[in-house]
Amino acid sequence: MAEQVRDTAEQWPERNGSTPFQGRVTGVRTEEVRMPDGSWARRDYQLHPGSVAVLALDADQRVLVLRQYRHPVKRRLWELPAGLLDVPGENPLHAAQRELYEEAHCKAGEWRVLVDLYTSPGGSNEALRLFVATDLAEAEEERYAAHGEELEIETARVPLAELVRLVLAGELQSPTMVSGVLALNAALATGGLDALRPADSPWSARPF
């Protein structure tokens, strides 16, 4: 039974597809999809290039976190460094390294894949690869010139155990934070970081 519990690629018949909105990065796709009973149902969803996030863990088991305003939910959220895969063909590891530098002025000597996920598969095709980065150090380059919401980013290093407590208490609600903290906690309780996939592992959702 365990061998059968895995996601598989599949595509149901569709018709009348169009893209009524295309923004700078994301768009909206509308299609009619054939249901198992033969009827057709309309589905509208966000087109997204994909994204990466980084759970940066220091030698004291503290996680590097950022606090940033997110307008759609009207909140300041504590998050992990993250960013879009908006450079065509870019390796997701390189994108993650760039985001860690730009948002936290930090670099890491060791990288592994923590988890891959679809952030909201009922309404978006966004796929996210979440890395765990260790052997942290300050970046040598000049600090990245922030803009927009990034101008008010706050940074902190919080013990992993405290983040687990806050996630389970409902105090932290960023999906990358929740997924990353719980996944890392599970990984450390089982095979450890060495059991995780290499940083350049294949990614079927966003081949590179």
Side-chain angles (χ1 to χ4, degrees), residues 30-94:
T30 183
E31 296 163 344
E32 291 182 358
V33 183
R34 189 174 183 179
M35 297 293 105
D37 64 0
S39 64
W40 293 86
R42 176 175 165 172
R43 294 290 181 265
D44 304 316
Y45 59 95
Q46 180 193 40
L47 296 173
H48 196 285
S51 52
V52 292
V54 185
L55 194 156
L57 184 70
D58 69 16
D60 297 319
Q61 296 285 289
R62 298 178 303 170
V63 178
L64 193 160
V65 294
L66 315 171
R67 189 169 184 247
Q68 186 171 358
Y69 175 68
R70 292 302 188 184
H71 187 70
V73 295
K74 311 297 192 292
R75 289 176 180 267
R76 281 186 186 267
L77 300 180
W78 284 101
E79 304 177 339
L80 303 178
L84 297 169
L85 288 169
D86 51 0
V87 178
E90 184 176 24
N91 185 300
L93 174 59
H94 299 163

Side-chain angles (χ1 to χ4, degrees), residues 46-156:
Q46 180 193 40
L47 296 173
H48 196 285
S51 52
V52 292
V54 185
L55 194 156
L57 184 70
D58 69 16
D60 297 319
Q61 296 285 289
R62 298 178 303 170
V63 178
L64 193 160
V65 294
L66 315 171
R67 189 169 184 247
Q68 186 171 358
Y69 175 68
R70 292 302 188 184
H71 187 70
V73 295
K74 311 297 192 292
R75 289 176 180 267
R76 281 186 186 267
L77 300 180
W78 284 101
E79 304 177 339
L80 303 178
L84 297 169
L85 288 169
D86 51 0
V87 178
E90 184 176 24
N91 185 300
L93 174 59
H94 299 163
Q97 292 169 333
R98 183 184 68 244
E99 293 300 330
L100 185 61
Y101 155 66
E102 290 182 356
E103 295 191 347
H105 197 66
C106 189
K107 64 179 183 178
E110 297 290 335
W111 292 79
R112 290 188 179 275
V113 174
L114 184 56
V115 287
D116 296 328
L117 63 145
Y118 292 104
T119 57
S120 183
S124 172
N125 70 348
E126 180 184 5
L128 180 141
R129 170 156 280 191
L130 178 50
F131 295 89
V132 59
T134 55
D135 187 19
L136 305 183
E138 185 174 351
E140 292 99 354
E141 300 88 348
E142 291 186 8
R143 287 191 176 272
Y144 176 73
H147 60 278
E149 294 94 335
E150 296 174 347
L151 289 169
E152 293 191 354
I153 282 182
E154 304 171 46
T155 64

